[in-house]
Amino acid sequence: MLQIGEFSRICQVSVKTLHHYDRIGLLAPAKVDVLTGYRYYEPEQIDVMNYIQRLKRYGFSLEEIQKLLTLSEDREILTMLRQQKEKIKWEQQERALILNELQTHISVFERTGDMMTYQKGYRIEVKDSPAMNVLTNRAMMSVDEFGKYYSPLFERVPKERVTPTGINGSRYYDKEFDRESSDIELFIGIKEKDKADEVMEPRLCAMTLHRGSYSTLSEAYGAVVSWILDNSYEMAGEPFELYLRTQFDTLSPEDWETEVYFPVRRK
């Protein structure tokens, strides 16, 4: 058997980490001397430790690794591995997008000397929002769960024999924004007024068009709110977004278009 120091050197894992893995039940020593407290590992546990290290490199949490170690069905293991693969691919795309935004920001700053120029490129209009007949789904959800809550809406389209207009959106009801859990209503536009969950009547709004990924939508929100405060208006309802051009149009994120609306009234 291998003493903990030897096992640490072979697997290139600190003794402190091995103690932690033992405490959380991830990898316990094969034997602990009751008199000295020395910990011993079987040579076979080297493979287990290497497997744990590889799963960590894949980005799995220790809790997820613990679950993987207990799975006996190949299908379940493959499902978790494939899900992690998709997560890593999404993160790579997000990092590439951020890198592109950063390069653009650097270029604009070099040209103008203004670090905040990207926040000043929004054109604000005051106009009536479009009238829309919509199917809705309102729930406490995270921003990352939009797809999950949109799915039931799209499933209703053939079942209820309605005709989508192609304009979808979301409305935000909380006074404070929490990315992990907010009161959000998703909606899809349909032509049939009599089959709609709600008819969104035109409302006077301050609005702007945001081009780019959803991760920078806060800049559009900031531009609209700043304009409202500077121009004798006040907010008069829940803000909402309309998704005009999206990934479903086979466009890259920099070409997505989102309209941001804030209902307003004159002070």
Side-chain angles (χ1 to χ4, degrees), residues 18 22 45 101 124 148 185 259:
L18 290 172
D22 183 16
Q45 289 182 286
E101 290 173 359
I124 313 300
K148 170 185 172 182
E185 181 181 55
E259 288 183 336

Side-chain angles (χ1 to χ4, degrees), residues 57-257:
R57 288 199 301 277
Y58 293 159
F60 285 105
S61 67
L62 294 182
E63 183 179 358
E64 290 168 330
I65 292 172
Q66 210 160 13
K67 180 180 178 181
L68 275 161
L69 291 176
T70 62
L71 293 177
S72 56
E73 291 285 337
D74 289 352
R75 186 174 60 183
E76 292 180 283
I77 296 171
L78 276 172
T79 296
M80 287 190 69
L81 292 175
R82 285 170 176 156
Q83 287 174 343
Q84 191 66 10
K85 176 187 172 184
E86 291 306 309
K87 179 183 175 184
I88 292 171
K89 285 171 64 177
W90 180 87
E91 288 173 347
Q92 285 179 324
Q93 292 169 356
E94 186 70 11
R95 296 295 292 178
L97 180 62
I98 292 170
L99 181 61
N100 184 56
E101 290 173 359
L102 176 57
Q103 181 55 56
T104 301
H105 195 169
I106 290 170
S107 299
V108 172
F109 179 48
E110 289 175 334
R111 189 173 67 253
T112 66
D114 185 351
M115 278 294 288
M116 302 295 180
T117 299
Y118 61 91
Q119 294 187 20
K120 300 173 184 176
Y122 290 99
R123 179 170 173 265
I124 313 300
E125 297 181 63
V126 176
K127 66 177 187 179
D128 285 340
S129 60
M132 293 180 288
N133 311 314
V134 295
L135 301 180
T136 65
N137 189 9
R138 180 175 174 180
M140 295 298 295
M141 68 181 80
S142 75
V143 173
D144 295 331
E145 291 180 313
F146 272 30
K148 170 185 172 182
Y149 287 93
Y150 260 124
S151 291
L153 289 177
F154 290 117
E155 289 169 5
R156 289 176 59 188
V157 169
K159 289 179 183 177
E160 299 179 22
R161 297 183 178 180
V162 294
T163 311
T165 61
I167 301 298
N168 309 316
S170 58
R171 182 158 45 184
Y172 299 84
Y173 287 90
D174 284 338
K175 293 186 182 299
E176 298 179 1
F177 178 73
D178 181 350
R179 183 180 179 85
E180 300 304 318
S181 180
S182 288
D183 185 1
I184 301 173
E185 181 181 55
L186 305 180
F187 56 85
I188 62 175
I190 61 171
K191 293 182 179 179
E192 295 80 6
K193 187 174 183 178
D194 60 318
K195 294 184 178 181
D197 295 333
E198 181 184 347
V199 176
M200 294 178 65
E201 300 291 351
R203 298 190 64 179
L204 186 67
C205 292
M207 63 81 62
T208 193
L209 176 66
H210 172 76
R211 290 185 175 89
S213 74
Y214 304 133
S215 61
T216 54
L217 264 171
S218 61
E219 294 165 10
Y221 273 70
V224 176
V225 171
S226 295
W227 186 94
I228 292 170
L229 296 175
D230 291 341
N231 288 272
S232 300
Y233 283 90
E234 61 184 4
M235 288 175 270
E238 296 80 16
F240 59 94
E241 302 163 0
L242 297 182
Y243 308 120
L244 307 185
R245 291 158 59 87
T246 71
Q247 65 268 41
F248 300 111
D249 299 309
T250 62
L251 297 171
S252 58
E254 57 266 27
D255 295 320
W256 298 350
E257 291 185 353

